């Protein structure tokens, strides 16, 4: 029996979402960005620093009975740009999506500069350029303000 079968660390789920290949140590940030407080009814499993073939160790989150919308997937990309999102139905992986962080980030986070035009009454939505993925650094397209991961997490 191979090592994989000898030990099942977290059980398979019937229906829901598995966010896999989250960079070690980032699972709780992903939980925060999804607005999971622990007071919901879903069963949520969070695994931190588990052995991984791809990245030595990884974090992963299993959310039973919940699908993610596009906005939520985009938010995950900000915090965990190499994550894989697996949709599970009837115990089977029916969809696998690698998240991707684009160079231009629109409508996911707000600029933290109160005088930025994207925060005015003008119909201008927030837009950022990705300066660095890890550590996360976004630059506002309009006022050049820099946002770090903590600034992003505070918004959710
Ligand atoms: N998974 C689960 N419940 C299921 C099916 C899969 O929790 N009913 C989890 C697996 O434990 C794994 C992830 O969903 O963490 C993806 O499953 P699978 O595609 O079978 O695993 P791998 O082939 O290892 O995925 P990858 O190629 O993306 O590394
Ligand atoms: Zn701005």
């Amino acid at each position: 029996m191979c090592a994989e079968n000898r030990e099942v660390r977290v059980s398979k789920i019937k229906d829901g979402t598995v966010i896999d290949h989250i960079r070690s140590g980032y699972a709780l940030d992903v939980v925060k960005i999804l607005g999971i407080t622990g007071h919901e009814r879903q069963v949520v499993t969070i695994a931190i620093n588990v052995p991984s073939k791809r990245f030595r160790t990884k974090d992963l989150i299993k959310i039973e009975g919940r699908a993610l919308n596009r906005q939520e997937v985009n938010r995950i990309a900000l915090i965990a740009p190499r994550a894989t999102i697996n949709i599970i139905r009837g115990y089977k992986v029916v969809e696998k999506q690698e998240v991707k962080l684009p160079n231009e980030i629109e409508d996911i986070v707000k600029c933290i500069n109160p005088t930025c035009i994207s925060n005015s009454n003008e119909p201008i939505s927030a837009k950022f350029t990705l300066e660095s993925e890890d550590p996360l650094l976004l630059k506002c397209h309009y006022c050049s303000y820099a946002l770090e991961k903590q600034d992003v997490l505070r918004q959710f």
Side-chain angles (χ1 to χ4, degrees), residues 38-106:
H39 297 292
E40 297 83 9
R41 285 171 182 275
Q42 296 112 332
V43 176
V44 178
T45 309
I46 302 168
I48 296 173
N49 292 331
V50 298
S52 158
K53 274 170 278 175
R54 219 185 279 189
F55 304 120
R56 202 170 63 85
T57 63
K58 65 178 180 183
D59 289 0
L60 70 92
I61 304 168
K62 300 189 182 196
I63 310 169
E64 296 186 35
R66 177 169 165 185
L68 302 179
N69 61 37
R70 204 172 55 85
Q71 195 77 355
E72 289 169 325
V73 172
N74 289 341
R75 280 187 220 156
I76 293 170
L78 280 175
I79 300 302
R82 297 175 309 187
T84 309
I85 297 180
N86 300 275
I87 312 294
I88 315 293
R89 281 196 208 112
Y91 288 103
K92 289 210 160 62
V93 179
V94 294
E95 201 186 311
K96 194 181 277 284
Q97 185 188 352
E98 307 281 338
V99 304
K100 202 178 168 318
L101 192 51
N103 283 326
E104 294 271 291
I105 291 143
E106 256 186 292

Side-chain angles (χ1 to χ4, degrees), residues 111-113 115-119 127-128 140-145 147:
C111 183
I112 54 169
N113 171 11
T115 64
C116 178
I117 190 160
S118 68
N119 285 323
K127 190 163 147 186
F128 297 88
C140 178
H141 173 76
Y142 302 104
C143 73
S144 294
Y145 238 66
L147 264 74

